[in-house]
Amino acid sequence: MRWRFRLISDSAVAWAGHRVIPVALIGFIALWTAVGLTFSFPRQWFLLTNMVGTLVTFLILLLVQHSQNRDMKALHAKLDELIRSSEAGNHWIAAETKDADAIEDMRQQHQDQISEKRA
């Protein structure tokens, strides 16, 4: 089930990000407006437009967030492996799981070490 969701999510994000989509949306909006003018824009027309627009926006937002979260996890795993295989201190591994004060302390300690090496 997980791999199906990932496949669907990846496909939807790739589809939504395709360069043809803005042109297709402009054409759809023009068609939607022409049909609305033909029927004198009944109240239900506006309700349907708002509902569909909100739902599509929310769905795309969730799919993009899912994709970004997965990409970020992969990026962190790669960075952790680079840290592990380099001369950098292993205390930097999984720094994203620490609170803001601890990260700031680590950053300050790193800046102090750089300053000492330059002096």
Side-chain angles (χ1 to χ4, degrees):
M1 181 66 180
R2 260 189 128 120
W3 64 271
R4 286 183 188 163
F5 179 75
R6 192 179 81 215
L7 182 65
I8 291 169
S9 174
D10 289 345
S11 299
V13 168
W15 176 82
H18 196 273
R19 64 178 178 245
V20 175
I21 295 301
V23 175
L25 285 176
I26 290 170
F28 178 74
I29 290 169
L31 178 66
W32 189 263
T33 303
V35 170
L37 287 172
T38 303
F39 294 111
S40 300
F41 286 112
R43 181 178 300 161
Q44 293 81 7
W45 195 263
F46 289 114
L47 292 173
L48 181 64
T49 302
N50 287 335
M51 182 185 68
V52 170
T54 301
L55 290 175
V56 168
T57 301
F58 187 66
L59 177 65
I60 294 296
L61 174 77
L62 291 176
L63 291 174
V64 168
Q65 186 65 44
H66 171 74
S67 177
Q68 285 181 340
N69 286 344
R70 194 182 66 250
D71 290 347
M72 209 44 147
K73 286 179 184 178
L75 182 64
H76 283 292
K78 291 174 185 180
L79 288 173
D80 288 348
E81 183 57 29
L82 285 172
I83 292 169
R84 213 176 279 115
S85 66
S86 72
E87 294 179 14
N90 284 344
H91 64 281
W92 287 101
I93 293 177
E96 69 277 2
T97 61
K98 298 181 171 122
D99 63 6
D101 292 334
I103 293 172
E104 182 58 31
D105 291 342
M106 291 169 63
R107 192 191 66 73
Q108 188 60 45
Q109 182 183 13
H110 181 67
Q111 291 296 331
D112 293 343
Q113 288 173 353
I114 290 174
S115 297
E116 288 174 7
K117 287 181 182 179
R118 288 185 182 165

